[in-house]
Amino acid sequence: MRVITSPMAGTVARLLVGEGDAVTVGQDVVILESMKMEIAIQAEASGRVKALKVSEGEFVDEEGILLELE
């Protein structure tokens, strides 16, 4: 199992993928809002989204798990 984590603390502004979606390396998967800036979080591995661990509007800590890939 591979996970995508947040590189910083922030609020999940948008989820760009859903459970079951295929993702490729470099694809934007989540938009985080931190200090009034939007930061695109990209997949570091290819796979299929097994589980979303956050929802839009939720605050995440640095290194918090955003989603799992299979």
Side-chain angles (χ1 to χ4, degrees):
M1 174 182 64
R2 293 165 290 196
V3 295
I4 296 176
T5 60
S6 177
M8 65 185 69
T11 302
V12 177
R14 285 185 309 235
L15 294 170
L16 304 177
V17 295
E19 290 183 7
D21 289 354
V23 297
T24 57
V25 173
Q27 178 180 341
D28 292 347
V29 293
V30 175
I31 303 294
L32 280 185
E33 185 177 295
S34 182
M35 299 187 303
K36 298 187 182 184
M37 296 186 320
E38 288 191 344
I39 299 99
I41 308 304
Q42 299 174 334
E44 297 175 0
S46 295
R48 188 163 301 279
V49 178
K50 179 178 180 181
L52 296 171
K53 296 298 188 178
V54 294
S55 56
E56 290 184 3
E58 184 176 340
F59 182 82
V60 293
D61 290 317
E62 183 175 351
E63 299 301 317
I65 296 174
L66 301 172
L67 56 95
E68 293 178 355
L69 297 176
E70 59 182 357

